[in-house]
Amino acid sequence: MDKNVEVVVVGGGYGGVTAANRLARRDGVSVTLVNPRPEFVSRIRLHQLVTGSDDAVEGFGEVLGGNVRLVVDSATRIDAAERRVSLAGGDPLSYDYLVYAVGSGAADPGVPGAAEFAHWVSDLEGAERLRSALDAAPASASVTVVGAGPTGLETAAELAETGRKVTLVCGSVLGPSLHARVRRPVARRLARLGVTVLEGPGAQVTEVTGEGVRLGDGREVPGAVTIWTAGFRVPDLAARSGLRTDSAGRLLTDTTLTSVDDERIVAAGDAGVMPDHPFRMSCQAAVQLGPAAADTILRRIAGKTPAPVRMFFAGQCLSLGRKEGVTQFSYPNDKVNALSISGRTGAGVKEIACRFTLNKLVSGARKASSRPARVSPGDTTGRTTPSDARPAA
């Protein structure tokens, strides 16, 4: 390697952190990670933040290698021609390669009143606002959770276990990503917790008000707090930067995770998509895509042809409160099967999965700190926090 290679990683979630740590292990590669928050958000625990059983954050000093320079700021545009990233609160960053790992957040449901009255649990700020709203509501006040995917199921169960009166509005079916047989223990657990489950043709929310939600069949469901968990969106950074995206705004890539527009831009996590090999947005995918994105860049640096990424899925782990859970097993291609573990054992498996994921990040950080850190002139810490940096919306 004749010269030092500068890599900028945009986004400090599971995909971005694992990519940065893998890249930082290579001599001759300097890595800068740009993230709008000064801490790592453990998204798989955000439903616990809502009830106070976990704060869902870790210090970047724990999960990010000492060789990685952290810039706390928001990327506003990628100039692929100039290989430069513009920031909201600091000077632009130049790069030789860029990892696009901006993640995902709550989707705008396009339902009247949702933006004004509903709360989200898909990002740290939303979960914190939701917790404040719940704290301000009487303990006896009813809560409505819209969406019965993994986030909706976990949030509804978590709240109900604390004594909240919860109604779960599923839309068509409870747990659409689960096998029909695996939905049964989930339904039984929710019933024991006292959760009212609304599903079927008329159970789609058509309006959110300050007093509850209105369904497609005309029913009105009262609730002091409404939580919307259905659907995800990705930031529009790629589209704003003139890079090709799919209809959901995800950066279009080939099977090596490389942008179809520029071989210097590689995606990792929810915000990229291989059109012929789509994958489910998840932590499980991100922790595989991050190292794969790094390997694509490292092979290009070495003058080698990148290898197509191969994804392997084991299933979905759901916590249904602190005492029970369900693990839905799948085939390696992410197609679910009828095998599952439920009850206290299921809760234990979910907790092991959460801890394993964090430990994997910590291990990657240690490996990325095993060679002397590259420090820019005048920078004695390798980490910068612009005074006017602001969190993402």
Side-chain angles (χ1 to χ4, degrees):
M1 194 178 298
D2 296 330
K3 70 180 186 68
N4 189 65
V5 176
E6 299 285 346
V7 181
V8 172
V9 179
V10 182
Y14 297 103
V17 166
T18 52
N21 284 338
R22 178 69 67 92
L23 288 162
R25 292 163 57 183
R26 183 66 60 91
D27 288 333
V29 176
S30 293
V31 183
T32 298
L33 185 142
V34 180
N35 193 64
R37 304 177 187 87
E39 64 275 309
F40 173 81
V41 178
S42 184
R43 284 187 63 174
I44 54 179
R45 291 196 185 273
L46 281 174
H47 60 287
Q48 291 184 246
L49 183 153
V50 172
T51 58
S53 64
D54 198 282
D55 62 8
V57 296
E58 301 290 338
F60 271 119
E62 292 294 318
V63 301
L64 198 61
N67 290 326
V68 179
R69 177 186 175 218
L70 172 65
V71 174
V72 180
D73 209 334
S74 296
T76 58
R77 189 176 184 276
I78 299 167
D79 186 335
E82 297 295 329
R83 297 181 195 164
R84 185 170 59 226
V85 180
S86 298
L87 303 179
D91 295 332
L93 297 174
S94 297
Y95 65 85
D96 295 303
Y97 290 92
L98 181 139
V99 178
Y100 188 77
V102 295
S104 63
D108 180 359
V111 172
E116 182 178 1
F117 296 110
H119 292 270
W120 279 260
V121 69
S122 57
D123 58 43
L124 179 64
E125 292 78 17
E128 289 175 338
R129 287 192 293 268
L130 171 57
R131 182 173 180 180
S132 296
L134 290 167
D135 288 344
S140 59
S142 57
V143 177
T144 303
V145 177
V146 181
T151 303
L153 294 173
E154 292 190 320
T155 302
E158 202 80 23
L159 289 168
E161 194 178 63
T162 66
R164 288 283 183 180
K165 181 181 178 182
V166 179
T167 298
L168 178 63
V169 181
C170 303
S172 59
V173 65
L174 175 72
S177 64
L178 303 176
H179 190 279
R181 291 186 183 178
V182 182
R183 292 184 192 127
R184 297 171 190 169
V186 174
R188 288 195 295 267
R189 171 60 173 166
L190 293 175
R192 288 195 298 271
L193 289 171
V195 176
T196 299
V197 176
L198 303 180
E199 57 182 329
Q204 289 84 28
V205 174
T206 59
E207 183 180 3
V208 181
T209 70
E211 291 75 40
V213 302
R214 183 172 292 110
L215 305 185
D217 58 10
R219 283 179 291 175
E220 295 191 1
V221 181
V225 179
T226 298
I227 306 168
W228 199 284
T229 70
F232 289 95
R233 65 162 177 82
V234 299
D236 64 351
L237 177 61
R240 281 190 284 113
S241 302
L243 300 169
R244 276 183 283 178
T245 64
D246 69 355
S247 59
R250 294 178 294 179
L251 180 70
L252 290 176
T253 76
D254 63 15
T255 56
T256 70
L257 305 179
T258 304
S259 165
V260 296
D261 295 311
D262 191 328
E263 70 172 14
R264 299 280 181 152
I265 299 175
V266 182
D270 292 353
V273 62
M274 299 179 285
D276 296 330
H277 300 81
F279 50 84
R280 174 169 52 90
M281 290 184 179
S282 63
C283 166
Q284 188 174 175
V287 295
Q288 299 179 68
L289 293 166
D295 288 345
T296 289
I297 291 173
L298 292 173
R299 289 184 69 86
R300 282 212 169 91
I301 291 172
K304 300 178 180 179
T305 301
V309 64
R310 299 182 66 185
M311 304 286 288
F312 296 93
F313 291 88
Q316 303 173 37
C317 298
L318 304 177
S319 63
L320 299 174
R322 296 298 85 212
K323 298 178 181 178
E324 293 193 28
V326 169
T327 297
Q328 160 75 78
F329 290 102
S330 71
Y331 300 105
N333 65 358
D334 205 29
K335 181 179 180 180
V336 298
N337 55 47
L339 299 177
S340 68
I341 298 173
S342 59
R344 289 186 177 274
T345 304
V349 172
K350 167 67 183 228
E351 184 60 26
I352 289 171
C354 289
R355 293 183 181 183
F356 174 81
T357 301
L358 178 60
N359 289 340
K360 186 172 183 178
L361 300 184
V362 172
S363 175
R366 289 172 179 166
K367 292 176 181 178
S369 301
S370 61
R371 66 179 175 86
R374 295 177 179 272
V375 180
S376 301
D379 179 6
T380 59
T381 65
R383 317 247 163 173
T384 62
T385 306
S387 60
D388 56 347
R390 57 180 184 267

